[in-house]
Amino acid sequence: MKVLVPVKRVVDYNVKVRVKSDGSGVDIANVKMSMNPFDEIAIEEAVRLKEKGVVTEVIAVSCGVTQCQETLRTAMAIGADRAILIETDAELQPLAVAKLLKALVDKEQPGLVILGKQAIDDDCNQTGQMLAALTGMPQGTFASKVELTADSVAVTREVDGGLETVKLSLPAVITTDLRLNEPRYVTLPNIMKAKKKQMDVIKPADLGVDVAPRIKTLKVEEPPKRSAGIKVADVAALVDKLKNEAKVIG
């Protein structure tokens, strides 16, 4: 069974993002980029399934600029067998990515697609669901546990009220949550091995997909700065300020 794992190149989670002076977007010049943490969890889960013997091949795929090759090399260092880069300089929105992935699913015929529940740059949480809709596959989102058999997969989901387990027939789409696993540390020998693994580079046109943006970003701005807190002497002073200054109690 093949597993397809989409991975996204995003601003590293340790970096404090800065908005461009013209408000057109986020400044990523000279900023450290890395794999989306939720996608790292997805790659780890796919590799673990392969190590258990229930999966034969793990294919990492990324959509975006040439530098996404670094992200794919990281995925192969974790354990993916080969990689596909759908190279484009266009601004990719969730629907465009889902359409590209749908075209790849039709081509590769994976038994499972595992991807992060959301990317930490736009927080859209849409691509997995859109892909499931486009392909007609069943979906298990926000997975905290995955149990795969030859013809089905049981996914334990994190929902508002606790946990829900769904059983999906294959092929299926799964999106990963934080508690699914702890991604392994990438070792130097595996980084060297990843350089020799196969990476195919194709264009959206090769898949017959139009990736033109459907949504236009009008303006990006930072949230207003929060004012510093103050200390009060006692409960009476606190109540007085809440009542007369903040006006949050009557």
Side-chain angles (χ1 to χ4, degrees), residues 88-237:
T88 175
D89 292 327
E91 179 199 344
L92 290 174
Q93 293 173 351
L95 181 59
V97 175
K99 286 178 178 177
L100 291 170
L101 294 177
K102 197 265 183 191
L104 264 192
V105 166
D106 292 343
K107 186 179 174 185
E108 295 286 346
Q109 295 291 308
L112 204 57
V113 180
I114 308 179
L115 64 162
K117 69 170 184 175
Q118 65 195 72
I120 61 170
D121 53 0
D122 56 22
D123 275 335
C124 281
N125 179 16
Q126 294 174 340
T127 306
Q129 292 88 328
M130 287 176 169
L131 176 61
L134 290 172
T135 57
M137 290 185 189
Q139 60 179 306
T141 54
F142 318 133
S144 63
K145 188 177 181 184
V146 173
E147 293 171 298
L148 183 63
T149 62
D151 58 353
S152 67
V153 59
V155 179
T156 302
R157 304 180 59 232
E158 299 203 356
V159 294
D160 291 342
L163 297 175
E164 172 190 62
T165 302
V166 292
K167 187 176 181 182
L168 314 172
S169 57
L170 298 178
V173 175
I174 296 173
T175 72
T176 62
D177 216 325
L178 276 175
R179 279 156 287 279
L180 180 59
N181 62 49
E182 182 76 34
R184 68 194 66 190
Y185 180 76
V186 180
T187 61
L188 184 59
N190 285 334
I191 292 171
M192 300 309 290
K193 284 179 192 171
K195 291 181 180 178
K196 296 176 182 169
K197 291 183 179 179
Q198 178 186 343
M199 184 185 299
D200 300 319
V201 180
I202 57 177
K203 303 285 185 183
D206 299 334
L207 299 171
V209 177
D210 171 23
V211 295
R214 274 25 178 203
I215 299 168
K216 183 179 179 183
T217 301
L218 300 179
K219 189 180 180 186
V220 177
E221 58 185 37
E222 291 191 17
K225 291 208 166 28
R226 295 173 64 179
S227 55
I230 58 169
K231 290 183 179 180
V232 292
D234 51 33
V235 174

